[in-house]
Amino acid sequence: MSDLHERSVAAWRRHLGCAVEPHDLIARLSRGSLPEAFHAMAAAAPERPALDVDGSARTHGELDAAAGRFAALLREHGVAAGDRVLFSAPSSIAMVEAYLGVLRAGATVVLANPSYTRGELHHLASDSGAVIAVAAGQARAILAELADELPALQGVVDVETATAEFEPLAAESVDGDQAALLAYTSGTTGRPKAVPLTHANVLASIRAAMFAWRWTAGDVLVHSLPLFHQHGLSGVHATLLSGCRAVIAGKFDPEWICRTIASEGGTILLGVPAIYERLTAWDGIGGTDLSSLRLVVSGSAPLSPALAARVERTLGQIPLERYGTTESGLDVSNPYGGPRRPGTVGIPLPGIEMRVVGDAGDELPDGDDGEIVVRGPQVFGGYAGDETAVADSFYPGGWFRTGDIGNVDPADGYVSITGRAKELIISGGMNVYPREIELVLEDFDPVARAVVVGVPSERWGEEVVAAVVGNGGEEIVEEAVLEFVRDRLAPYKRPKRVVVVERLPTNEMGKVLRSEVVRLVER
Ligand code: AMP
């Protein structure tokens, strides 16, 4: 990679506030593995408080030892380095220890939302070939029932399993190119595809942001993003890599956030626009002292300039908006030192080369709208077991096609996201892939065809709405459709409304015009 994209490299220097040798920087961002890096920090400051999750607190040293013990327990269950482990549990301190244990064992964590239904968990477990599931609550019960139907799955381990009797497994060296996480995301068709993220990818992504945002051991993260999701986990990763402290709640509650910032001297808040909507709407926000906050970050979905202004009025600063994707980690951010320009996502983060390209993959002139493509140590190597998807997702030279449309401001190089080429709905910061929902709806007898779209919503950013066409037989009743999806889809994926239409708007090629469907179902 001798021909680095010049403007991107200039952006890295601006983020870092100093001159850097770009290739040294790339090597530094992706060095090592997550368990080694966490262990090194814990060994340097074992007594320092690390996490408090819903009132259960651990130091960096305690977490490190607990991770080692959980890894030893997994070895006992036959989990070897390189195995896949399905992981599905709500946020708790035991859940974090178990997660760190899976990584310490050198296995790949397959993240699953704990509200997933039987069908969703079955699909993830069989598609990933997980050998063990580590789970809690409802997901654990479902997975235990499913074990007989899944030949690869050897057992289900409760995240709360006592591990005191185990000698901690040492943080052996894990190959940085091995997959740490297997996340699921999707392009335009079918069920989500598997995205292997190596230790190097995950480390490069979070370290780039930490350097750019000046994350240090003195920081206090106040956090209530779900830890079973990459965005929420990134807060835990940054805490363990920096040696700082995080106070975490399993559920989002505006009052808890504000009181905790005030009582703990919180310095960092990570969120999605839906969280800032609810936070700024809370009546008590004016009465709490939030002056300790130095960094308020928004990502995962577009932040409107109006909401950015409300955050500035209530939290005392314009949120630092950043942009990224599951496949490529954190890619672009407004610079910490400013200016923070609402409506833009800023400039490429350290290590990321970014271009806006036309249909042939050639870079477009500044100001023109095109697809955003990225390259760097944060970017995954390709979907697991899906060669066609890999070929469709990269341009020659290793440029990953994000499927997002944007442009670069000719005046200052700031990037604006102006659209989405992929059929993704972002509701409350969670990704919903229309085709997955459509397939479930089309399984409902009276439905012949379903199209699922995102409709603008104040509370959720976008909300999931389905347009369905009947098969000419039984009449479609909205309530019955909603009942049908209830035990097939996790709550955040379920349509908020189902609109019955005579026929779907299509173009001359018969392709459904999703923007017209949005108009059809908007109230
Ligand atoms: P995820 O894989 O959950 O990170 O979601 C990735 C997708 O979310 C991107 O491809 C974008 O479509 C969208 N996204 C993430 N951050 C932003 C942002 N700051 N502004 C607009 N869209 C965003």
Side-chain angles (χ1 to χ4, degrees):
M1 229 207 274
S2 50
D3 53 339
L4 290 170
H5 188 250
E6 237 171 76
R7 182 168 47 205
S8 299
V9 175
W12 306 354
R13 298 203 172 103
R14 178 152 174 206
H15 273 301
L16 298 171
C18 60
V20 282
E21 201 297 301
H23 294 281
D24 286 351
L25 174 71
I26 290 171
R28 203 172 144 207
L29 288 171
S30 46
R31 186 177 303 148
S33 69
L34 291 164
E36 286 170 283
F38 295 157
H39 175 71
M41 177 47 78
E47 306 296 336
R48 209 182 282 161
L51 299 184
D52 176 319
V53 186
D54 289 327
S56 294
R58 299 285 186 276
T59 63
H60 285 271
E62 285 166 346
L63 273 184
D64 186 57
R69 287 194 301 270
F70 206 92
L73 164 81
L74 291 173
R75 279 280 186 276
E76 191 107 319
H77 277 82
V79 174
D83 280 346
R84 289 173 177 179
V85 172
L86 185 72
F87 194 85
S88 189
S91 307
S92 72
I93 198 76
M95 174 263 202
V96 177
E97 291 173 343
Y99 165 74
L100 298 173
V102 181
L103 293 176
R104 176 79 71 100
T108 303
V109 177
V110 184
L111 289 175
N113 189 312
S115 69
Y116 275 176
T117 62
R118 194 183 162 86
E120 290 166 327
L121 287 170
H122 188 287
H123 174 73
L124 271 193
S126 66
D127 191 80
S128 65
V131 296
I132 289 282
V134 173
Q138 168 195 311
R140 184 172 72 90
I142 297 175
L143 285 160
E145 279 173 30
L146 283 176
D148 287 345
E149 300 170 28
L150 295 161
L153 193 68
Q154 309 290 307
V156 181
V157 177
D158 191 333
V159 296
E160 302 268 1
T161 308
T163 58
E165 66 189 88
F166 290 96
E167 194 54 38
L169 196 73
E172 291 154 19
S173 82
V174 174
D175 181 358
D177 290 331
Q178 192 183 298
L181 298 177
L182 193 71
Y184 277 77
T185 183
S186 128
T188 51
T189 51
R191 292 226 190 210
K193 293 187 282 281
V195 179
L197 294 165
T198 65
H199 287 269
N201 295 152
V202 179
L203 281 169
S205 171
I206 192 64
R207 281 178 179 148
M210 289 168 70
F211 289 157
W213 301 340
R214 314 286 188 269
W215 201 304
T216 71
D219 275 310
V220 179
L221 170 70
V222 174
H223 202 45
S224 65
L225 291 170
L227 303 182
F228 49 79
H229 191 277
Q230 255 173 290
H231 192 174
L233 273 182
S234 68
V236 172
H237 293 165
T239 301
L240 301 189
L241 291 171
S242 65
C244 82
R245 166 166 97 84
V247 190
I248 300 176
K251 288 215 160 58
F252 171 72
D253 169 21
E255 183 171 352
W256 179 88
I257 295 263
C258 294
R259 288 200 197 297
T260 308
I261 292 169
S263 64
E264 302 282 340
T267 61
I268 302 180
L269 191 59
L270 304 179
V272 300
I275 279 192
Y276 293 117
E277 275 295 346
R278 289 181 58 194
L279 201 55
T280 53
W282 180 55
D283 315 340
I285 194 147
T288 26
D289 177 10
L290 306 175
S291 58
S292 57
L293 272 181
R294 68 165 188 88
L295 175 65
V296 174
V297 182
S298 178
S300 282
L303 176 79
S304 70
L307 179 55
R310 280 208 295 286
V311 174
E312 185 181 18
R313 273 201 303 280
T314 46
L315 298 187
Q317 61 183 288
I318 297 172
L320 196 78
E321 185 168 9
R322 60 84 179 159
Y323 158 85
T325 77
T326 302
E327 293 93 329
S328 59
L330 299 167
D331 301 323
V332 184
S333 164
N334 272 271
Y336 182 67
R340 299 179 183 184
R341 283 186 47 203
T344 79
V345 292
I347 55 177
L349 277 164
I352 276 288
E353 297 173 84
M354 193 220 77
R355 308 199 300 195
V356 171
V357 302
D359 288 342
D362 297 328
E363 188 160 17
L364 293 175
D366 287 355
D368 284 8
D369 268 339
E371 185 175 3
I372 293 173
V373 299
V374 291
R375 175 167 84 170
Q378 292 89 329
V379 182
F380 83 136
Y383 299 101
D386 194 338
E387 290 308 316
T388 333
V390 177
D392 290 348
S393 306
F394 287 88
Y395 278 122
W399 293 94
F400 169 63
R401 302 180 58 180
T402 63
D404 290 310
I405 307 296
N407 63 59
V408 175
D409 189 327
D412 58 10
Y414 276 41
V415 179
S416 297
I417 311 287
T418 52
R420 225 178 278 152
K422 57 189 171 192
E423 292 165 3
L424 168 68
I425 300 169
I426 307 177
S427 189
M430 302 290 275
N431 293 353
V432 180
Y433 305 101
R435 194 63 200 132
E436 184 188 354
I437 317 307
E438 289 161 7
L439 289 171
V440 170
L441 292 167
E442 288 168 5
D443 262 351
F444 185 55
D445 273 345
V447 172
R449 177 88 170 87
V451 172
V452 168
V453 291
V455 172
S457 145
E458 276 232 337
R459 172 148 191 196
W460 303 106
E462 289 180 301
E463 67 185 27
V464 180
V465 178
V468 294
V469 181
N471 61 11
E474 198 183 327
E475 190 194 341
I476 301 176
V477 180
E478 183 179 24
E479 261 315 303
V481 181
L482 296 176
E483 182 58 38
F484 180 80
V485 299
R486 197 155 297 145
D487 54 355
R488 290 173 174 82
L489 294 170
Y492 71 94
K493 296 182 191 171
R494 295 176 198 152
K496 296 263 188 300
R497 284 185 294 126
V498 176
V499 180
V500 182
V501 295
E502 285 280 308
R503 49 176 211 88
L504 291 163
T506 53
N507 68 8
E508 57 287 354
M509 302 299 288
K511 189 169 157 27
V512 172
L513 298 165
R514 286 176 184 270
S515 52
E516 302 256 324
V517 176
V518 173
R519 236 166 283 141
L520 213 62
V521 301
E522 252 173 340
R523 281 203 270 233

